[in-house]
């Protein structure tokens, strides 16, 4: 069982749009598997930048429910973006110190995901483009 409670304050910081506080709850080697890009983001600085860009893009991040068993956490969220309402489900895996080691994000419906993607990817600049695999 992780030693500290990081998921609850992480979700509160996301809801409040405080990326500095969000970052405190991420492991140095955190990995984010996003519905926006096929390649994961790795490392606290990179994941914090992506989450910061997300928070500056969406209108609201609303935690609804959290379920936890040992080091696994499922967070149920509502994300609002323009006229879209997104159902979000995050699977978080915690490290020994309780910080977030991995996050796998699932969003629906697809048209809303695409709308956020179209606004978010340009904010990520070259970093996002380097992470998209080249088709051969």
């Amino acid at each position: 069982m992780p030693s500290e409670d990081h998921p609850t304050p992480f979700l509160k910081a996301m809801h409040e749009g405080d990326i500095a506080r969000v970052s405190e709850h991420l492991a140095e080697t955190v990995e984010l598997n996003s519905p926006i890009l096929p390649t994961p983001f790795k490392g606290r600085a990179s994941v914090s930048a992506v989450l910061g860009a997300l928070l500056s893009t969406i209108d609201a991040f609303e935690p609804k429910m959290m379920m936890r068993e040992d080091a696994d956490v499922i967070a149920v969220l509502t994300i609002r973006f323009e006229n879209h309402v997104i159902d979000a489900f995050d699977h978080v895996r915690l490290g020994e110190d309780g910080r977030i080691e991995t996050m796998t994000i699932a969003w629906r419906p697809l048209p809303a995901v695409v709308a956020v993607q179209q606004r978010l990817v340009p904010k990520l600049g070259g970093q996002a483009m380097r992470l998209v695999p080249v088709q051969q």
Side-chain angles (χ1 to χ4, degrees):
M1 183 79 137
S3 60
E4 288 186 49
D5 179 32
H6 287 276
T8 301
F10 169 82
L11 290 174
K12 183 175 184 194
M14 287 288 293
H15 174 70
E16 294 171 356
D18 187 338
I19 198 62
R21 281 185 21 238
V22 165
S23 185
E24 293 173 8
H25 303 289
L26 302 175
E28 192 62 43
T29 58
V30 65
E31 180 174 303
L32 170 65
N33 299 292
S34 161
I36 302 296
L37 293 170
T39 304
F41 293 90
K42 296 181 180 183
R44 182 183 291 153
S46 178
V47 171
S48 293
V50 171
L51 294 175
L54 173 67
L55 291 173
S56 73
T57 301
I58 62 174
D59 299 318
F61 180 95
E62 303 167 359
K64 299 295 182 186
M65 180 176 49
M66 186 170 54
M67 297 170 278
R68 182 173 180 173
E69 184 173 322
D70 299 324
D72 288 295
V73 178
I74 301 294
V76 178
L77 318 158
T78 298
I79 295 172
R80 299 184 190 284
F81 172 70
E82 296 176 348
N83 62 340
H84 300 283
V85 177
I86 299 169
D87 296 318
F89 308 91
D90 294 0
H91 174 221
V92 172
R93 181 83 179 158
L94 306 175
E96 290 288 322
D97 66 355
R99 285 189 169 75
I100 297 167
E101 285 190 343
T102 63
M103 284 192 317
T104 300
I105 299 169
W107 289 0
R108 66 154 310 278
L110 184 58
V113 176
V114 171
V116 172
Q117 180 184 40
Q118 290 175 342
R119 188 72 57 83
L120 181 59
V121 168
K123 288 183 177 186
L124 300 176
Q127 176 186 10
M129 295 301 111
R130 283 193 306 274
L131 293 174
V132 177
V134 176
Q135 300 295 322
Q136 295 183 351

